[in-house]
Amino acid sequence: MLALGSRNRTRHGGQQVCTLCLAEDSTPYLRRHWRFAWHTGCRFHGVQLVDECPACKAPIEPHRLTAEDQHLAQCSRCHNDFRKAVCTSPLPEAFSVQVMADRVLEQDKVTFRQASIAPADWFSMVAFFIGVIRRASRRPVSPLADALLSLGISVTDCRMPVSGLAFELLAVSERSALLVALERLLSMGLEETFSVLVACNVKTSALHDPRRSPPVVLLPLLSRLSHHPHGPHRRRVPPACRPMSERAVRASWARLKRRMKAEPTS
Ligand SMILES: [Zn+2]
Ligand SMILES: [Zn+2]
């Protein structure tokens, strides 16, 4: 689920809408599935969901409208009517992950590598791979990024998130970019993906934080990779008075912008 980031009555984001669905409603209402983090497009209209006011970029906060506003298809700050917004088409790969995840959610069991697993395990596997893609995009010059590039996944895409925020906190465009990469990885097949990872000499420590255990369904595949030859990581003492990296500055800027969105400047 997308996180609303509620603080008192203000929100940081987390509500998406399809403007065409709202336009067709006699009384506009919010759909439950618009809050799913993997939803980036509308399955009925084939357009990208909108997660901020197209005019003033404020988060969508229908609870701040008043009775005089009459309907919720409008921005609570500038009262721009969402139903008149220009629609963009969703990225087809991101949309196909959405369809796949919706189908998994409806089932009791999912077939995965000739075994049947619970939908929760499928979602944790997918979340793990999103983490892998994000780790690779943080280190574009690494065996992991090389391995993904040879699978046709570009981790240097400009729409990739730089903020380091959790997937459920990201804007629809950033989630779409990650889902496009994920679709490529899933459609390739995990056998193929792991053969490439082994060939590129990717270590397990490059894929995930060793303090968090990976999904159980991936353990047989992960055991094929070699472990880091050194002992546990020792925290290096950073030299004093060193400027922050460009990436760290951009990440804290993105986090600050998300927080500022919740508080109107006027
Ligand atoms: Zn729609
Ligand atoms: Zn607005």
Side-chain angles (χ1 to χ4, degrees):
M1 295 293 281
L2 292 174
L4 296 170
S6 301
R7 185 184 169 147
N8 300 330
R9 295 190 73 226
T10 58
R11 285 180 181 174
H12 291 177
Q15 179 65 62
Q16 314 183 102
V17 297
C18 167
T19 53
L20 295 181
C21 282
L22 292 178
E24 282 179 6
D25 294 339
S26 52
T27 308
Y29 67 98
L30 301 174
R31 276 64 165 174
R32 202 176 287 160
H33 56 82
W34 287 341
R35 291 280 316 283
F36 291 154
W38 66 89
H39 273 235
T40 56
C42 173
R43 73 184 108 150
F44 303 110
H45 297 104
V47 295
Q48 182 157 307
L49 299 178
V50 173
D51 64 350
E52 61 183 11
C53 167
C56 74
K57 308 293 173 203
I60 297 172
E61 299 169 306
H63 62 290
R64 298 184 76 183
L65 294 165
T66 59
E68 286 79 50
D69 295 321
Q70 295 187 7
H71 66 88
L72 55 69
Q74 60 182 298
C75 174
S76 62
R77 286 192 199 159
C78 72
H79 298 281
N80 165 52
D81 194 329
F82 296 148
R83 296 172 294 187
K84 295 183 185 127
V86 182
C87 300
T88 51
S89 38
L91 300 171
E93 298 91 345
F95 190 69
S96 72
V97 175
Q98 176 181 325
V99 173
M100 202 189 301
D102 282 343
R103 214 171 287 152
V104 167
L105 194 65
E106 284 164 10
Q107 291 165 0
D108 294 335
K109 287 279 168 208
V110 193
T111 311
F112 174 72
R113 304 183 71 227
Q114 291 96 44
S116 99
I117 60 168
D121 290 331
W122 187 88
F123 275 95
S124 64
M125 174 201 57
V126 166
F128 176 83
F129 284 121
I130 288 176
V132 169
I133 293 161
R134 296 185 76 174
R135 281 172 87 86
S137 83
R138 276 202 292 277
R139 295 177 195 84
V141 186
S142 65
L144 176 59
D146 292 344
L148 292 185
L149 195 64
S150 70
L151 289 167
I153 300 166
S154 168
V155 292
T156 49
D157 188 307
C158 61
R159 289 164 306 184
M160 283 282 178
V162 292
S163 58
L165 293 173
F167 185 72
E168 293 78 12
L169 297 175
L170 296 176
V172 63
S173 55
E174 294 175 317
R175 280 183 283 117
S176 293
L178 286 170
L179 292 177
V180 168
L182 176 69
E183 196 272 339
R184 184 94 205 134
L185 216 150
L186 294 177
S187 66
M188 200 81 59
L190 294 188
E191 299 293 335
E192 164 92 25
T193 304
F194 274 83
S195 322
V196 171
L197 292 179
V198 171
C200 290
N201 198 24
V202 175
K203 308 271 189 288
T204 44
S205 55
L207 294 186
H208 67 98
D209 187 341
R211 287 167 298 184
R212 293 180 61 184
S213 47
V216 181
V217 289
L218 291 177
L219 289 179
L221 288 165
L222 284 167
S223 66
R224 283 195 221 158
L225 303 180
S226 59
H227 292 280
H228 208 272
H230 309 297
H233 265 293
R234 240 175 267 145
R235 194 169 281 272
R236 237 181 273 150
V237 182
C241 306
R242 224 174 107 198
M244 281 166 86
S245 69
E246 186 195 335
R247 195 181 164 91
V249 174
R250 278 158 63 116
S252 60
W253 175 235
R255 279 194 289 268
L256 180 67
K257 274 205 296 196
R258 184 178 147 85
R259 228 178 310 138
M260 280 170 60
K261 261 179 118 179
E263 275 126 45
T265 42
S266 59

